């Protein structure tokens, strides 16, 4: 009897399962699921057949009650055209991001605790400019001592104690102040032959209107000596006798042609005898006479400086 009831229970369960499967195939419904997003609901396992105890009656054993399955969900209805048309879904406004919480300000270090800091990089040291070392100047040779006076200087034609440097040359001439050559002895037979540079050098230290009144000694020592010089000659135009003339460095006609003379480059000459004949037409020549170095001033304006008396003019080419 136990076996009989067990077989009956198995057949009942199998029939129920076949019935459920057949309904599922006819309706085309999917197997039951619990909910969207969850797995299929498990069906309870069929109860095992109860075996009656020995000595009990078959009527005492109840067949197991079959558990009815959950009703299958109905098939979804076809969507209507209106439902199929796309609907504009309102887009929710983006949520405003909340302001980030302010970071707490760093606490200042306590006075007792010193935080180690990295040492600041040392500033680059600029390269020292390369300067060219000036070449040391060549040592100045010591000045040559003044030459010792030669025995011929014992009879020097220049006055003793003259304020000038006088050096006798090998040819018998003299070099005055290391610049101006002078020939002769200062006599009528051998007068001093001088140049215009020698006479013009007076303006270096003698300009009375500027307060410079130092007349060089090299010029004062010519005073009273016989001197010969060459230059341009100008006679007075309206004079009846040509007893005076002007000896000049530059040519001048007394009016418009040439360069007017100054007190430093002209000599006022008084002739020994009046010029006559061809001598009166001389424009360039040599004059020889007694030299006078006597400044003539009008309120510190230098009018004349050199003069010559007892002069003789000769024509020079």
């Amino acid at each position: 009897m136990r076996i009989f009831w067990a077989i009956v229970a198995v057949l009942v369960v199998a029939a129920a399962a076949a019935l459920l499967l057949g309904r599922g195939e006819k309706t085309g419904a999917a197997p039951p699921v619990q909910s969207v997003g969850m797995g299929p609901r498990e069906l309870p396992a069929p109860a095992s057949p109860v075996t009656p105890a020995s000595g009990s009656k078959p009527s005492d054993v109840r067949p197991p009650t079959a558990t009815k399955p959950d009703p299958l969900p109905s098939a979804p209805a076809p969507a209507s055209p209106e439902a199929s048309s796309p609907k504009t879904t309102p887009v929710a406004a983006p949520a405003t991001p909340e302001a980030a919480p302010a970071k707490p300000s760093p606490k200042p270090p306590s006075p007792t605790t010193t935080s180690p800091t990295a040492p600041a990089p040392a500033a680059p040291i600029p390269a020292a400019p390369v300067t060219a070392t000036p070449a040391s100047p060549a040592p100045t040779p010591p000045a040559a001592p003044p030459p010792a006076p030669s025995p011929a200087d014992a009879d020097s034609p220049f006055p003793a104690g003259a304020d000038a440097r006088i050096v006798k040359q090998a040819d018998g001439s003299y070099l005055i102040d290391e610049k101006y050559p002078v020939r002769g002895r200062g006599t009528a037979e051998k007068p001093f032959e001088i140049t215009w540079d020698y006479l013009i050098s007076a303006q270096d230290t003698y300009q009375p209107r500027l307060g410079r009144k130092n007349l060089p000694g090299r010029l004062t020592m010519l005073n009273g000596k016989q001197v010969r010089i060459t230059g341009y000659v100008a006679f007075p135009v309206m004079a009846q006798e040509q007893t005076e003339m002007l000896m000049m460095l530059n040519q001048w006609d007394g009016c418009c042609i040439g360069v007017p003379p100054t007190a430093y480059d002209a000599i006022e000459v008084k002739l020994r005898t009046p010029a006559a004949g061809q001598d009166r037409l001389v424009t360039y020549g040599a004059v020889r006479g007694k030299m006078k170095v006597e400044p003539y001033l009008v309120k510190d304006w230098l009018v004349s400086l050199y003069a010559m008396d007892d002069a003789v003019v000769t024509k020079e080419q």
Side-chain angles (χ1 to χ4, degrees):
M1 292 300 291
R2 294 178 181 176
I3 297 173
F4 173 77
W5 290 110
I7 293 173
V8 171
V10 171
L11 292 175
V12 172
V13 173
L19 180 61
L20 292 176
L21 291 174
R23 291 182 62 183
E25 291 176 358
K26 290 179 180 181
T27 59
V33 293
Q34 184 177 1
S35 61
V36 179
M38 299 182 61
R41 188 173 182 178
E42 296 181 357
L43 296 176
S48 61
V50 179
T51 304
S54 60
S56 60
K57 295 180 179 181
S59 59
D60 295 338
V61 180
R62 295 182 178 179
T65 303
T67 305
K68 293 182 180 182
D70 293 338
L72 297 176
S74 60
S80 61
E82 296 179 357
S84 62
S85 60
K87 295 183 179 180
T88 303
T89 304
V91 180
T96 305
E98 297 180 358
K103 295 183 180 180
S105 58
K107 296 181 180 181
S110 59
T112 57
T113 305
T114 304
S115 59
T117 57
I125 301 175
V130 180
T131 54
T133 304
S136 56
T140 304
S150 61
D153 290 343
D155 57 344
S156 174
F158 300 100
D163 186 16
R165 181 180 176 83
I166 304 171
V167 178
K168 188 175 183 178
Q169 304 296 306
D171 58 354
S173 63
Y174 295 90
L175 185 64
I176 310 300
D177 289 341
E178 301 180 355
K179 188 175 182 180
Y180 308 104
V182 175
R183 297 178 179 276
R185 304 285 302 174
T187 61
E189 294 79 12
K190 295 182 178 181
F192 286 137
E193 297 181 8
I194 61 175
T195 63
W196 287 106
D197 290 342
Y198 189 7
L199 298 182
I200 293 174
S201 66
Q203 64 183 358
D204 295 341
T205 58
Y206 188 74
Q207 294 185 15
R209 65 185 181 86
L210 300 180
R212 303 169 63 181
K213 299 182 180 181
N214 182 21
L215 195 61
R218 62 178 172 271
L219 294 175
T220 56
M221 69 182 183
L222 296 179
N223 192 29
K225 299 292 182 177
Q226 291 288 324
V227 175
R228 182 178 183 273
I229 192 171
T230 303
Y232 289 95
V233 176
F235 287 100
V237 178
M238 302 301 295
Q240 294 181 358
E241 290 184 344
Q242 304 297 331
T243 58
E244 295 181 352
M245 60 175 243
L246 196 62
M247 175 66 67
M248 303 170 294
L249 169 64
N250 302 305
Q251 185 178 8
W252 183 56
D253 66 346
C255 177
C256 307
I257 300 176
V259 181
T262 67
Y264 303 102
D265 58 8
I267 303 174
E268 296 179 2
V269 179
K270 289 185 178 181
L271 298 175
R272 179 184 300 174
T273 57
Q278 295 296 324
D279 293 341
R280 192 177 182 278
L281 303 177
V282 172
T283 57
Y284 185 86
V287 65
R288 181 185 62 192
K290 185 179 180 180
M291 189 71 174
K292 297 171 62 175
V293 181
E294 296 178 352
Y296 177 68
L297 303 176
V298 177
K299 295 183 179 181
D300 284 341
W301 284 88
L302 184 62
V303 178
S304 66
L305 180 59
Y306 305 115
M308 186 178 290
D309 292 339
D310 196 20
V312 177
V313 60
T314 56
K315 186 176 181 181
E316 296 286 343
Q317 299 295 332

